[in-house]
Amino acid sequence: MTYAFTDTDGHHLDIQADTDLDGQPVITAWTRGTFARVPVRIPLDRIEELVAGIREAGRQAARGPNPQHVGGRANAENCPACWGTNPPYPFLCPGGTP
Ligand SMILES: [Zn+2]
């Protein structure tokens, strides 16, 4: 059985049951249409780690890029990177000069 994922650009990722070079059971993932198809073999006891990493990458993507400090000794209340933090008095953004 092969699980095939195709993104909106038509790029494919195939995942299938396989064995590693020592004959141990793994799942193997690779992309289609590249010059060198390099298989990535994932041991069965690390599948949940892989899925957790994919989920965390998705959460980071949903949040967007990290906010940047305003800097320049601006009021920390006006800085998106300082928002929700508790900077020391006098509440100035610790970021560099923009
Ligand atoms: Zn800041």
Side-chain angles (χ1 to χ4, degrees):
M1 176 255 174
T2 298
Y3 172 75
F5 178 83
T6 304
D7 72 11
T8 55
D9 296 325
H11 302 129
H12 304 279
L13 175 68
D14 293 328
I15 299 173
Q16 77 174 61
D18 201 356
T19 56
D20 66 12
L21 300 177
D22 296 325
Q24 297 300 309
V26 295
I27 59 171
T28 299
W30 67 86
T31 58
R32 277 191 243 161
T34 58
F35 286 108
R37 290 171 29 125
V38 179
V40 177
R41 294 184 178 94
I42 300 118
L44 302 185
D45 63 349
R46 298 190 64 191
I47 291 173
E48 292 307 316
E49 174 188 339
L50 171 67
V51 172
I54 292 170
R55 284 194 180 109
E56 180 55 29
R59 282 191 284 271
Q60 289 179 14
R63 286 194 297 264
N66 290 335
Q68 300 298 308
H69 286 286
V70 172
R73 300 185 55 80
N75 184 335
E77 293 178 347
N78 298 326
C79 174
C82 288
W83 191 88
T85 66
N86 189 18
Y89 184 80
F91 313 122
L92 299 176
C93 173
T97 303

